[in-house]
Amino acid sequence: QVQLVESGGGLVQAGGSLRLSCSASGSIKRVNAMGWYRQAPGKQRELVATITSGGNTNYADSVKGRFTISRDNAKNTVYLQMNSLKPEDTAVYFCNAGIFTTTWLLDDYWGQGTQVTVSS
C-alpha cells in the first residue's frame, strides 16, 4: 500500500510565500514523475507543475516564474515553493505521483489535498 501525505498549506496575504511538501511512503519500489495539481471552487482540477525522476520540470503558464517544484529522491518527497502568491492561486493543492510498488505494479497515486488561501 502506498500513501502520499501533503503538508504546508495555509492562509497567506497576496505577495507572500508558502512551501508545500508531499512524501510518499509504503510499498515503494520506484517513484517516477511527481507533480502538483490544484482545484479551485467550481473549477476543474488543473496541473500546476511536474518533475521527473531525473529533475526535468514543467509548469503551468500561470505559475511560471513564481513557483518552483523540486524533489528529494532519497526521501520520495516533492516540494512546491510558491512565491508572489495571488488571490487566484487559492485552491486545494493535490500531490500526484506515478509509483512502482514492490511487486512492480505501476499506478497513479494522489494525496488528500492541502488548502492554500491567498487573501487580497
Side-chain angles (χ1 to χ4, degrees):
Q1 197 164 356
V2 173
Q3 283 188 317
L4 297 182
V5 178
E6 299 132 337
S7 62
L11 173 64
V12 65
Q13 288 189 332
S17 298
L18 283 175
R19 190 191 194 212
L20 305 183
S21 300
C22 171
S23 293
S25 63
S27 303
I28 297 171
K29 189 69 172 178
R30 187 174 76 200
V31 180
N32 286 351
M34 304 183 82
W36 291 94
Y37 292 72
R38 67 187 181 186
Q39 188 167 17
K43 295 188 176 181
Q44 289 188 330
R45 191 173 296 189
E46 63 176 5
L47 180 146
V48 176
T50 61
I51 184 168
T52 68
S53 57
N56 293 317
T57 58
N58 179 55
Y59 295 93
D61 288 343
S62 59
V63 307
K64 282 180 182 176
R66 300 187 298 121
F67 291 9
T68 302
I69 189 170
S70 61
R71 65 189 285 172
D72 183 334
N73 289 334
K75 296 180 179 180
N76 291 331
T77 298
V78 63
Y79 307 96
L80 185 68
Q81 178 66 43
M82 304 184 292
N83 299 328
S84 302
L85 282 160
K86 304 175 181 180
E88 51 263 44
D89 295 317
T90 295
V92 178
Y93 283 70
F94 296 90
C95 173
N96 171 265
I99 295 175
F100 278 102
T101 65
T102 51
T103 57
W104 284 108
L105 290 175
L106 176 63
D107 208 345
D108 203 36
Y109 293 88
W110 292 89
Q112 80 284 0
T114 185
Q115 177 70 47
V116 171
T117 303
V118 184
S119 63
S120 57

